[in-house]
Amino acid sequence: MPGPTIADVARAAEVSTATVSHALNGTGRIGEGTRRRVREVAAGLGYGTRRGPRTRTLGLAVTTFAGTAWDFVTIAYFSRFITAATSAAHARGYALTTLPAERCAEGLWHTLAVDGMLLVDSPAGDPVPGALRARGLPLVFDGRPPEPRPGDVWVDNDHAGTTREVLDHLAAAGARRPALHSGHGREHYTGAVVAAYRQWCAERGVAEVVVPFGPEDGPGHAFDAAFGAAPRDRPDAVYCAYDPGGRQVLAAAARHGLGVPGDLLVVCTSEDPAYGATEPPVTTVTLRPEAAGAEAVAALVALIESGRAGGPAGAGARMVPAALRVRASSLRPVMY
């Protein structure tokens, strides 16, 4: 038999379905007494509890930019993560359902028929974890949650260490004024990279240059001010934190007459093999999404089959080492 719906809880608590959603998600401007009463009614009705046999289905959602119709599967990281997660789920006898980004802002979290969820790049203020926790569903994050709770499990890379490795590599190749191309998302990855870049610059007395990333900025106009500066003030290297950034900086450098790597060194975080065939080939950082996807599914299935939604056992980070793939874009040409 199907369990109670959010409408059933609203009728029993004599509030609107919107109030129920806010109460269960920990969002909205409602009184603490109302929030507590709604949660008590929901618990009394058995709302969100699993009924009958398991579905042997895992859910996956990318909740960064939730509610917008962006096709995250076209980004190589997400595509590879999902493929690896699907394979790992099937190997354990589970199906994997991937939700479109535009549906991540809807209230389907209250009734989604899955045994557990993988949340990828959950941003600050994300209401989805609260909704899933209210149902008691096991939950694993890809990317450290902005405000982890005791018992949370996540898979991630050492973004601070990787950022420092990239900047040290650029400095060893002769860069003295590296810029960072970042700052678009509110997930942990972006914040960790920006913070590490700023700390590295402060330690070396280097002026910060953070160029704002725009997903639709194909020509790289965000670089116009920096690349149009006097040579002594112009960045001589760029670390792009997002997949399309490498193509954007190459386009901007060409428009400004800057040679790569002669005038400008470039590194980009990306899983796209096409960067190995650009002119010049672009040095990339891989976050190893295949390893992350397999690790996340293993952690989630372990939570499901242990009967826990979370807890001290297995809680915390499962770290996947990133790797730097050095190509011509970050190596100064040898002068004879």
Side-chain angles (χ1 to χ4, degrees):
M1 295 293 292
T5 67
I6 193 170
D8 296 329
V9 177
R11 281 192 293 271
E14 298 182 336
V15 296
S16 68
T17 55
T19 298
V20 174
S21 180
H22 286 313
L24 298 180
N25 291 345
T27 59
R29 296 183 178 181
I30 62 175
E32 193 55 40
T34 299
R35 194 185 304 276
R36 184 168 51 252
R37 179 167 59 86
V38 169
R39 289 179 173 177
E40 289 172 353
V41 169
L45 292 176
Y47 172 76
T49 57
R50 185 180 289 115
R51 298 192 173 217
R54 290 185 181 136
T55 65
R56 297 200 71 82
T57 299
L58 311 178
L60 184 150
V62 179
T63 55
T64 292
F65 318 128
T68 60
W70 74 294
D71 187 5
F72 55 81
V73 182
T74 62
I75 302 298
Y77 177 87
F78 297 115
S79 176
R80 293 187 176 193
F81 181 94
I82 292 167
T83 298
T86 301
S87 178
H90 290 179
R92 290 166 173 77
Y94 286 80
L96 180 71
T97 298
T98 303
L99 302 178
E102 61 267 29
R103 300 206 63 192
C104 291
E106 299 177 6
L108 56 81
W109 309 109
H110 301 294
T111 56
L112 190 65
V114 295
D115 294 327
M117 282 292 301
L118 296 173
L119 292 188
V120 182
D121 280 357
S122 177
D126 188 358
V128 177
L132 298 174
R133 289 179 179 121
R135 293 181 59 188
L137 281 178
L139 173 62
V140 170
F141 297 86
D142 177 47
R144 179 183 180 274
E147 297 178 352
R149 298 185 180 184
D152 278 350
V153 178
W154 66 90
V155 178
D156 207 354
N157 315 98
D158 178 6
H159 300 302
T162 301
T163 299
R164 297 181 73 89
E165 180 183 0
V166 169
L167 295 171
D168 287 344
H169 166 72
L170 292 171
R176 296 295 176 264
R177 297 177 302 280
L180 177 67
H181 188 208
S182 185
H184 186 60
R186 296 187 300 126
E187 76 292 343
H188 172 71
Y189 168 70
T190 296
V193 171
V194 172
Y197 168 76
R198 288 179 168 157
Q199 183 176 357
W200 188 93
C201 290
E203 291 171 357
R204 288 157 181 78
V206 175
E208 298 176 10
V209 180
V210 179
V211 178
F213 170 80
E216 306 302 324
D217 185 20
H221 287 302
F223 291 96
D224 286 348
F227 288 176
R232 67 177 181 277
D233 299 321
R234 189 174 61 214
D236 57 3
V238 177
Y239 175 32
C240 303
Y242 298 125
D243 184 280
R247 288 180 286 274
Q248 295 177 7
V249 72
L250 290 179
R255 287 190 296 102
H256 286 268
L258 301 177
V260 177
D263 301 309
L264 186 72
L265 302 176
V266 175
V267 177
C268 180
T269 295
S270 176
E271 312 302 330
D272 188 349
Y275 277 119
T278 55
E279 184 54 45
V282 173
T283 295
T284 56
V285 172
T286 174
L287 302 179
R288 301 181 61 225
E290 291 86 355
E295 182 67 28
V297 166
L300 181 57
V301 170
L303 286 176
I304 292 168
E305 296 187 349
S306 68
R308 293 193 302 270
R318 315 285 183 90
M319 301 304 291
V320 173
L324 183 64
R325 294 171 172 166
V326 178
R327 300 188 179 108
S329 71
S330 65
L331 297 174
R332 293 282 190 217
V334 178
M335 304 301 291
Y336 294 98

